[in-house]
């Protein structure tokens, strides 16, 4: 999908609407403005990621990060990785961000390459690096 016509705000609105559609009516979506690292949250069982056999049950966060200017694959992927690392670090360290997420959905308009050591692998590594400090069960 081409997100070129989106702004940060419209991308966040799109992600909130998509979360409600995919994850169900138990989603709490937040409006524009400071969101404490959340576009939406859920608590309890949801039919995701592969219902009915594999579902999540716990506290989860949906976070959106929109890059307004494309600078090329590597720079864009590096930006997305930094954004994810900053967000997860804030979740670890901030006493205001409670409860800590057990599930985290990171949404971005940056294209993540699936090549070995590409953008997707870099984000997977960041999630792995934060598993001990956060009670992450899924992402």
């Amino acid at each position: 999908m081409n997100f070129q016509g989106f702004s940060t705000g419209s991308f966040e609105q799109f992600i909130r609407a998509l979360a409600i559609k995919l994850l169900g009516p138990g989603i709490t979506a937040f409006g524009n403005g400071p969101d404490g690292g959340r576009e939406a949250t859920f608590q309890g069982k949801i039919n995701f990621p592969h219902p009915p056999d594999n579902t999540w049950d716990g506290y989860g966060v949906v976070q959106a990060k929109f890059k307004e200017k494309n600078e090329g694959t590597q720079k864009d992927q590096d930006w997305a990785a930094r954004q994810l690392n900053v967000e997860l670090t804030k979740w670890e360290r901030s006493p205001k961000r409670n409860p800590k997420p057990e599930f985290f959905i990171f949404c971005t308009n940056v294209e993540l390459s699936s090549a070995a050591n590409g953008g997707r692998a870099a984000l997977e590594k960041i999630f792995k690096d934060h598993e001990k400090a956060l009670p992450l069960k899924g992402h």
Side-chain angles (χ1 to χ4, degrees):
M1 182 171 194
N2 182 345
F3 295 104
Q4 296 300 72
F6 280 58
S7 66
T8 299
S10 61
F11 184 73
E12 289 176 358
Q13 289 173 348
F14 172 73
I15 294 303
R16 286 191 294 268
L18 189 61
I20 291 168
K21 176 67 176 167
L22 292 176
L23 304 177
I27 294 297
T28 300
F30 300 98
N32 292 337
D35 58 22
R38 314 162 300 171
E39 307 324 320
T41 62
F42 58 88
Q43 178 69 53
K45 190 171 186 172
I46 60 167
N47 287 323
F48 189 83
H50 305 288
D53 298 327
N54 185 5
T55 58
W56 286 353
D57 190 359
Y59 179 70
V61 169
V62 178
Q63 174 66 59
K65 291 294 179 182
F66 182 79
K67 188 165 191 318
E68 291 185 8
K69 181 181 175 192
N70 293 329
E71 299 179 278
T73 302
Q74 190 60 55
K75 284 186 178 182
D76 292 350
Q77 290 178 146
D78 291 346
W79 175 88
R82 283 190 307 275
Q83 297 299 308
L84 177 60
N85 192 52
V86 164
E87 285 299 322
L88 292 177
T89 299
K90 286 180 181 177
W91 275 103
E92 287 175 13
R93 297 180 181 169
S94 175
K96 293 181 181 179
R97 289 190 180 194
N98 277 307
K100 303 300 183 193
E102 297 169 279
F103 302 97
F104 199 94
I105 299 174
F106 180 73
C107 307
T108 183
N109 64 319
V110 170
E111 289 187 39
L112 302 172
S113 70
S114 59
N117 299 317
R120 184 176 173 97
L123 270 58
E124 291 286 343
K125 182 182 180 319
I126 291 167
F127 276 114
K128 184 94 172 134
D129 291 346
H130 289 272
E131 279 180 350
K132 289 182 183 175
L134 291 173
L136 291 175
K137 297 178 186 175
H139 61 273

